[in-house]
Every structure is written in C-alpha cells, then in structure tokens.
Amino acid sequence: MTFSDHPIETPVRPGSPVHGFGTLAVHAGSPHDPSTGAVIEPISLSTTFAQRAVGEPVGAFEYSRSSNPNRENFEKAVAALEHAKYALAFSSGSATTAVILQSLAAGSHVISISDVYGGTHRYFTQVAKAHGVKVTFTPEIESDIVRQITPDTKLVWIETPSNPTLRLVDIRAVATQAHQHGILVVVDNTFLSPYVQNPLDHGADIVVHSVTKYINGHSDVVMGVAAFNSDEMKQRLSFLQNAIGAVPSAFDSWLAHRGLKTLHLRAREASTNATVVAAALEASPHVIAVNYPGAESHPHREIAKKQHRNGMGGGMLSFRIKGGKSAAEKFCQATTIYTLAESLGGVESLVEVPSSMTHAGIPKDQREAVGVFDDLVRLSCGVEDAQDLKNDVLQALEKAVVWPKITNGLNGISGPA
Ligand SMILES: Cc1ncc(COP(=O)(O)O)c(C=O)c1O
C-alpha cells in the first residue's frame, strides 16, 4: 500500500492520529491528482465549478469563496496536525479572531488574558464592542477566571505562550473551570505551532493560528486558521466563513500547505536555536531578564513540560536589555543576521521592540503591567545556525550596551556605529 493508494485524511478519531507528526505534515490533505498522477496538488484558480444540472455540481465545489480544493486540502492537513475533526482557513489570523468573535450573540462577554497579541487586543477593545461583545482582561487567568465569569460569559481567550512576554497558561486548568460554566475556550497557538503544542488535547474547544507565522513559515503568506471538533461549531463558523468572505486565495492556501509540510523540521530547529540564544542571553551581564519557556528559569517551566512536545520552548523569546529603550533600539539595529522587522515564525530570524512596534497600540500602563517595558526586545529564531545566531546577539549587546557607555564616559572616544 502506498500513500497514493490511500491518501491520509484526518486522523481516525480526533486526538488519536494514526501516524506521526512528520508523516501527517507531508501527507495529510495531499492526495495525488487522480487525472494526472501529479504528486503535488495543482493550484485550482477557477472561481467557479461547472454543474451537470441545476444544483448538481460535477465535483464537491461550486464557488471558490465557499470552498476550494487547495483551501480544503490545507484545512484537512491542519485538522490532522491539531488533532481536530475540522479546520477552517481565513484570510489572516486577525480575520480568524474576528469570525470567532462575530459568532457570539450581541451581549456576550469574553474573558481574555491581559498580554494578548496587540491586534487581538485592538479587535477586542475597539471592534467587538461595536457589535455588543464585551471583553475583560486578566493577568492571572487560572486563579482569576471564576471571579471574572458573568452570566453572559461565553468564551475564554488564551494565548500560550503569550506575545511578547512568553508567559504560559495551564490550558487544562482553565478549560476545566470554564466548562463547568458552559464556556468555550479558545487558544491562540501561533507562537508554538501544532508541532510543539496541541491545545485541543488539553481541553481547549478551538485552536487558532496566524498561519502567517510558523505554519506557512516562509514569511510570504498572510493567512489564518481555526481547528475544532464540534459539528455545531463547524456549521456556524463555515456559515460565517462564507457569509463574511474573509477567505484565503487558492495560491496562498497552496503555499501555506507547502510550508506546513516542513513544519516539524523548522519548529525543531527554531526551538534548538532559541535554547542556545536564551542561554547566551541569560549569561550576559547586559541583560536584565530573559523570557523563554524552554529555560529552567522560566516561572511556568512546569506547564511547558506538561503541555509542550518534549518540554520544548519553541523559537520565540524576549529579554529586557540594560540601558532602556535606546539600548533596545540600538540592539535591533546592530544585529546582522536577525532582521529588524515585525512578525515571527519564518525561516529567517527577526528582532523587534514590542512597545514601539507590535504592541504600540496598547496603553503604556497596561503594557507595563504585564511586563512589556520599553527595554523589552523580542526575538524570533529562525533556522540559521545556532552558533551564528548566538554570536550575532552577543555582538549586538556589546554595541547596544557597552560601547555607548564608553562613548559617554570618555569624550571623543566612540565605538563603531
Ligand atoms: C499571536 C498572534 N495571533 C494572531 C496574530 C494575527 O495574525 P495575522 O497577522 O495573520 O492577522 C498575530 C500576528 O502577529 C499573532 O502574533
């Protein structure tokens, strides 16, 4: 038997994939083209599909906004990797968030962790309330959830790890409490990818991703996805996917599916690299603190060991640099391999200052309450060589922290630009 005879679809039952992650990543949702035998699926650009008679399409498709072969194959692959029955793809991670929030009735209440991604915070505070959904934020959701619940609470929104402080949430602890009140739990799994963490296995009801990040992995597609097990949710969210129309193109679906096939290789390498870089930062006298869930020093390390594959830390980390905002900015300009840019999860390493970039929209007092200070630098470790990334970070620290001090102390003597 070969995969071409029996293409791997979703797992036999949710939560019990019959194949390992790498095998599913390569083969799930990837049938060989029955007419040509093409091993890689063709890109199906047609917006519409012929019908034999009125209401009798030739195949499974009618119109590309409603469904498309490339989108459907990608959705099957993500469902398999997230141990879900269903997945639905959207035009961005933000569109995925919007559709889930719009699935709630007016008057609904949502509880979110405080340090959510800035765009999610913007949607929660500036858009959701326009259609009557109220969101409250809490920094300690495991202990605070019961106090936050009201009769209108319908959803809990978690990011674990959170962006950019890499705090972890015990999904099982939150889901157990939420389910006692009939509340659904959504986990944004963007920072780890399905390779490192499968939130549905820990009790979440919906897992969402900005596919733009690790799942696509090559910084050339903006896309989102939600995966879940409930048939009722499938009906509701598919309806909104079609009615709102925030769907990815066939080409983007094809590219993201191609990226997904190497997710396990990229996620492993990125995690190894981040571990090396985090250790180098922790040992540096120029660093105040490092946030990395793979480090034994991380306050939620025990959650990482329970929730992450082999206790891996993932490819993301952040750290506070000595010298404040100006040192943070100098650091980002001094790196030569890490590129100063927003986003994360690509094969190339990126660096940014969240307080002035990705999280600039969150008021300063709220930011700082959850640890997003002006001196916080966020690193997305790519798949370059660990030693090169470590050397890059160490030389940038010298330029950002040490040489400016020498310049200040000794008039006329300056370090390199
Ligand atoms: C954790 C997280 N969730 C959601 C999003 C939004 O995704 P997108 O940019 O694809 O809309 C991002 C974007 O950076 C993110 O970091």
Side-chain angles (χ1 to χ4, degrees):
M1 179 177 82
T2 66
F3 285 119
S4 57
D5 298 328
H6 296 277
I8 297 171
E9 299 296 335
T10 46
V12 172
R13 67 182 167 81
S16 294
V18 292
H19 298 281
F21 190 99
T23 309
L24 287 171
V26 173
H27 294 286
S30 296
H32 295 172
D33 185 332
S35 56
T36 64
V39 170
I40 297 302
E41 61 175 319
I43 303 174
S44 183
L45 292 175
S46 188
T47 54
T48 190
F49 297 84
Q51 310 203 3
R52 270 191 212 94
V54 175
E56 266 184 48
V58 172
F61 305 96
E62 287 175 30
Y63 183 63
S64 250
R65 169 162 42 75
S66 315
S67 63
N68 163 282
N70 299 109
R71 192 174 95 204
E72 192 177 280
N73 285 339
F74 172 77
E75 290 171 338
K76 281 182 180 164
V78 172
L81 299 183
E82 277 293 11
H83 304 171
K85 199 164 164 190
Y86 306 109
L88 294 172
F90 297 90
S91 53
S92 66
S94 304
T96 314
T97 305
V99 166
I100 292 172
L101 267 282
Q102 287 189 32
S103 73
L104 301 175
S108 298
H109 171 239
V110 175
I111 304 170
S112 167
I113 58 157
S114 300
D115 43 351
V116 270
Y117 162 62
T120 304
H121 188 274
R122 180 176 53 211
Y123 189 90
F124 286 172
T125 52
Q126 296 181 48
V127 186
K129 76 170 175 210
H131 64 267
V133 172
K134 190 176 171 231
V135 184
T136 52
F137 298 90
T138 169
E140 298 294 342
I141 200 157
E142 289 103 325
S143 54
D144 199 30
I145 180 169
V146 173
R147 202 175 59 80
Q148 296 278 344
I149 290 172
T150 75
D152 297 324
T153 309
K154 298 286 180 266
L155 208 71
V156 168
W157 192 281
I158 297 171
E159 257 178 48
T160 178
S162 64
N163 177 8
T165 47
L166 284 297
R167 289 159 54 86
L168 304 186
V169 174
D170 184 330
I171 300 170
R172 178 69 65 192
V174 172
T176 303
Q177 298 184 77
H179 291 165
Q180 282 165 6
H181 298 265
I183 299 165
L184 297 178
V185 175
V186 181
V187 175
D188 184 333
N189 198 22
T190 297
F191 260 42
L192 286 182
S193 88
Y195 180 68
V196 181
Q197 176 174 265
N198 291 123
L200 301 187
D201 291 352
H202 302 285
D205 301 285
I206 306 178
V207 51
V208 298
H209 286 275
S210 167
V211 170
T212 317
K213 313 300 182 331
Y214 283 101
I215 289 184
N216 178 60
H218 294 76
S219 306
D220 49 13
V221 169
V222 172
M223 224 170 112
V225 74
F228 44 85
N229 284 316
S230 150
D231 296 342
E232 193 195 326
M233 203 176 293
K234 165 74 163 52
Q235 245 184 344
R236 179 88 184 120
L237 295 182
S238 297
F239 170 80
L240 290 174
Q241 185 191 38
N242 183 46
I244 294 172
V247 291
S249 70
F251 185 51
D252 281 352
S253 301
W254 185 91
L255 274 177
H257 196 173
R258 181 171 74 162
L260 178 81
K261 291 177 191 212
T262 55
L263 174 58
H264 49 306
L265 309 177
R266 291 183 285 103
R268 273 201 296 261
E269 198 67 8
S271 196
T272 303
N273 287 349
T275 305
V276 171
V277 170
L281 288 169
E282 277 197 325
S284 168
H286 311 314
V287 169
I288 299 169
V290 178
N291 305 315
Y292 183 57
E296 289 307 320
S297 59
H298 192 281
H300 304 142
R301 180 70 188 133
E302 288 311 308
I303 301 178
K305 286 181 181 161
K306 192 170 72 169
Q307 263 172 212
H308 302 178
R309 181 188 296 271
N310 301 330
M312 291 164 79
M316 297 298 299
L317 62 104
S318 60
F319 68 98
R320 293 187 66 191
I321 192 169
K322 286 187 184 165
K325 183 181 168 129
S326 73
E329 290 182 2
K330 280 194 192 96
F331 177 88
C332 297
Q333 285 165 297
T335 52
T336 59
I337 299 175
Y338 284 87
T339 300
L340 172 56
E342 297 196 3
S343 204
L344 60 114
V347 290
E348 69 293 319
S349 293
L350 301 178
V351 59
E352 67 127 1
V353 179
S355 62
S356 322
M357 296 170 71
T358 46
H359 292 63
I362 305 178
K364 189 176 166 78
D365 56 330
Q366 287 179 34
R367 263 199 286 114
E368 295 198 341
V370 291
V372 186
F373 297 97
D374 289 346
D375 58 10
L376 188 77
V377 175
R378 189 185 80 179
L379 296 177
S380 170
C381 297
V383 301
E384 300 95 335
D385 289 292
Q387 191 60 39
D388 291 334
L389 294 181
K390 177 179 160 182
N391 291 344
D392 194 28
V393 162
L394 293 178
Q395 68 78 26
L397 278 174
E398 290 291 316
K399 284 188 185 146
V401 182
V402 181
W403 288 345
K405 276 190 199 147
I406 292 172
T407 310
N408 294 342
L410 302 169
N411 252 350
I413 302 176
S414 60

